[in-house]
Amino acid sequence: MTEENDEAVYRVVRNDEEQYSIWRADRELPLGWHAEGTEGSRQVCLDHIGRVWTDMRPLSLRRRMEQVS
């Protein structure tokens, strides 16, 4: 199956470090990941992540860097 033929529904997921990924909506989420609320085609989910995940640094690193500043 190619991406063009992928009719699966995906969901955007986020972990406690505020890192994003996509996961098939019909599958149980892996430990440590939580549904963010967006569902749709693979491309819809990837486009959403592209808009909202503007700082790729893990949350713990961002916090440490703020303490140093």
Side-chain angles (χ1 to χ4, degrees):
M1 174 173 44
T2 64
E3 285 184 29
E4 296 84 31
N5 297 333
D6 186 1
E7 295 181 12
V9 175
Y10 290 86
R11 67 177 55 144
V12 176
V13 296
R14 186 175 63 197
N15 66 19
D16 293 337
E17 286 287 342
E18 295 185 354
Q19 297 168 309
Y20 288 81
S21 187
I22 62 172
W23 199 256
R24 293 266 309 249
D26 61 347
R27 295 188 180 159
E28 188 174 330
L29 294 179
L31 291 175
W33 291 87
H34 312 281
E36 177 264 5
T38 302
E39 289 191 4
S41 70
R42 184 177 201 283
Q43 194 58 54
V44 163
C45 290
L46 291 174
D47 290 346
H48 176 73
I49 290 172
R51 285 189 303 275
V52 299
W53 195 14
T54 57
D55 190 340
M56 302 292 247
R57 297 173 300 164
L59 179 60
S60 58
L61 176 61
R62 294 192 317 259
R63 286 180 175 162
R64 270 185 265 147
M65 291 179 79
E66 287 173 3
Q67 292 174 350
V68 174
S69 305

